[in-house]
Amino acid sequence: MQMLESAFGNFQLRRFPLRRRETLRAWDAADEYLLSELAEDVAGQVLILNDRFGALSCALAAHRPVMQSDSYLSAWSTRENLAANAIDPQSVTAIDSLTPHVVDYDLVLVRVTKTLALLEDELIRLRPHLKPGTRVIGAGMVKQIHRSTLELFERIIGPTHTSLARKKARLIHATLDPSKPALISPYPMRYRLEGDDLELVNHANVFSRERLDIGTRLFLQHIPADPGLRDMVDLGCGNGVVGTLAARANPGASIHFLDESVMAVASARATYQGSGLANPARFILGDALGGMEAGSADLILCNPPFHQGQVVGDEVAWRMFSQSRRVLRPGGELRIVGNRHLGYHIKLKRLFGNVEQLAANRKFVVLMSRCQT
Ligand code: SAM
């Protein structure tokens, strides 16, 4: 457990889910910069957008902030870190990314997101809740803040400038321009699947929100149709295209859509409901397969993420694959699509003792492992 030292106190913080031999901290130089900039100068109603693991929420809990996030893992880490520091969980009002704001804010702290569309959607929804004197401070690592990021603040909020970089972190200061017309969010976006009448609904933080991913396209050709299937899982469902087509191919099976993004789960629900299919369906917000019981699925379909927030790597994919072993019934299948270079076949072989390549093109492979016990 590591200690964040700030003008608001010292806090022991961890990232959830916990990992053995964790090497990454639960905060970064951008959180530190933001907290040192505020020092103790915090008053009125505070909003924290996209706190990553709860560092900002813990530090500012005494000011009873609202914390808004699209991520189940961020909300979970925040709850755990508040508890670990003996902070009353009620002191932070956690709302998800699709919950409308009900109060106006005096101070808004924005952790800049990797997906610019999410930031755009958040700022557009936030704008009616800013007052002429509201301080809006964005924070991120230098590599996360681009000209396009500043242009978003400028276009949606008003005059914007950045601070000098400190430990490779930067702050963005934006002031409300009340003369700007209110904007309507362009999200969710919708598009039709090529050669099909299925409409895909995509909230702002959804993978491939403007067109189908080429890996997913290959994957869709390898969804099995098997009357023996009872329970199928779309793991990391995004807009729900994979699970919806699996449900269509297997009208006798239930489909379970899982994702850690609130917007992904809402998108999958909207896509599925618009499809007119009648399979029993569940929509579960959570980490990997945490929401599924052991031995409860016959087929898990997964196009795993290659990053979690700003962290790049195959750790989440590995967690998804190993949890699949727990959740599959004997004889059940895990089917995945991934970039060739990621070497997922080695991991699957190690976990399941078997792996079969169902398809491949220049960039992607579709692999299948069967649960033998
Ligand atoms: N299945 C969709 C498709 O093919 O278009 C989306 C695939 S996208 C590559 C990976 C998905 O995994 C994203 O929707 C992301 O939000 C989700 N994800 C990332 N980390 C996760 C986690 N820990 N638990 C569950 N889902 C996660």
Side-chain angles (χ1 to χ4, degrees):
M1 177 123 42
Q2 293 174 322
M3 184 79 83
L4 165 69
E5 294 177 9
S6 79
F8 299 90
N10 299 342
F11 303 94
Q12 294 196 321
L13 301 174
R14 293 188 295 178
R15 293 170 170 241
F16 287 80
L18 298 177
R19 294 190 301 169
R20 258 180 273 146
R21 294 188 290 276
E22 179 65 84
T23 51
L24 301 170
R25 290 188 317 183
W27 73 94
D28 63 10
D31 291 319
E32 288 174 339
Y33 196 173
L34 191 49
L35 291 173
S36 73
E37 173 83 3
L38 292 171
E40 278 157 4
D41 182 17
V42 178
Q45 181 65 61
V46 179
L47 170 67
I48 302 168
L49 272 180
N50 314 318
D51 199 1
R52 293 162 68 237
F53 300 98
L56 300 174
S57 300
C58 285
L60 299 175
H63 300 276
R64 308 194 74 78
V66 174
M67 191 286 244
Q68 187 174 41
S69 169
D70 185 52
S71 162
Y72 171 85
L73 295 186
S74 297
W76 176 24
S77 299
T78 302
R79 276 195 307 276
E80 296 284 350
N81 283 324
L82 288 170
N85 290 282
I87 299 169
D88 175 7
Q90 307 293 332
S91 54
V92 176
T93 304
I95 60 172
D96 70 42
S97 51
L98 291 173
T99 301
H101 296 286
V102 291
V103 293
D104 292 348
Y105 300 103
D106 300 286
L107 174 63
V108 178
L109 308 175
V110 186
R111 279 304 311 241
V112 166
T113 53
K114 184 171 166 58
T115 309
L116 214 54
L118 174 60
L119 189 62
E120 179 186 16
D121 189 55
E122 288 175 334
L123 293 181
I124 291 175
R125 289 158 183 266
L126 168 66
R127 208 197 113 101
H129 298 274
L130 301 180
K131 311 180 215 175
T134 303
R135 291 164 75 195
V136 179
I137 313 178
M141 301 308 289
V142 169
K143 61 176 192 281
Q144 301 158 350
I145 297 179
H146 310 283
R147 183 188 292 271
S148 50
T149 320
L150 303 179
E151 281 169 1
L152 263 192
F153 278 88
E154 187 94 38
R155 177 166 69 82
I156 301 168
I157 310 287
T160 297
H161 68 272
T162 54
S163 67
L164 291 175
R166 189 193 289 176
K167 288 207 225 155
K168 299 193 182 148
R170 202 184 273 288
L171 300 182
I172 301 168
H173 295 272
T175 321
L176 180 69
D177 174 356
S179 70
K180 277 186 183 292
L183 298 169
I184 294 171
S185 175
Y187 307 99
M189 286 181 161
R190 293 156 198 273
Y191 61 88
R192 268 184 207 290
L193 192 59
E194 239 170 72
D196 197 296
D197 59 1
L198 180 65
E199 184 177 65
L200 305 178
V201 181
N202 301 269
H203 283 282
N205 199 26
V206 167
F207 173 78
S208 247
R209 79 195 144 275
E210 288 174 3
R211 71 192 72 82
L212 195 67
D213 168 61
I214 50 172
T216 309
R217 180 177 310 217
L218 178 66
F219 199 35
L220 294 180
Q221 297 162 17
H222 297 278
I223 292 176
D226 174 353
L229 293 174
R230 282 181 289 153
D231 289 280
M232 307 181 295
V233 177
D234 181 352
L235 176 55
C237 60
N239 60 21
V241 61
V242 172
T244 302
L245 291 193
R248 189 198 275 172
N250 297 283
S254 298
I255 177 75
H256 308 259
F257 294 90
L258 277 65
D259 207 289
E260 83 92 33
S261 153
V262 171
M263 288 191 174
V265 174
S267 302
R269 185 189 290 273
T271 296
Y272 184 73
Q273 286 175 345
S275 72
L277 293 168
N279 308 52
R282 284 204 302 159
F283 303 90
I284 304 172
L285 178 71
D287 176 36
L289 284 157
M292 295 286 300
E293 282 176 22
S296 62
D298 311 295
L299 175 66
I300 298 177
L301 299 165
C302 182
N303 177 6
F306 189 53
H307 63 82
Q308 183 91 76
Q310 311 288 350
V311 182
V312 176
D314 61 3
E315 179 225 323
V316 184
W318 181 245
R319 199 156 74 240
M320 288 175 160
F321 300 166
S322 32
Q323 291 185 12
S324 294
R325 273 198 60 192
R326 177 184 64 84
V327 168
L328 283 171
R329 298 185 176 119
E333 282 179 19
L334 168 65
R335 290 193 181 203
I336 68 127
V337 64
N339 248 289
R340 269 174 178 283
H341 75 264
L342 293 172
Y344 285 151
H345 58 283
I346 301 169
K347 285 191 169 12
L348 291 176
K349 179 87 202 265
R350 200 180 318 151
L351 275 169
F352 289 85
N354 67 88
V355 62
E356 192 181 318
Q357 182 172 305
L358 301 178
N361 63 22
R362 261 184 39 245
K363 260 189 103 180
F364 294 95
V365 285
V366 177
L367 304 172
M368 189 261 283
S369 287
R370 203 179 287 280
C371 186
Q372 287 165 328
T373 49

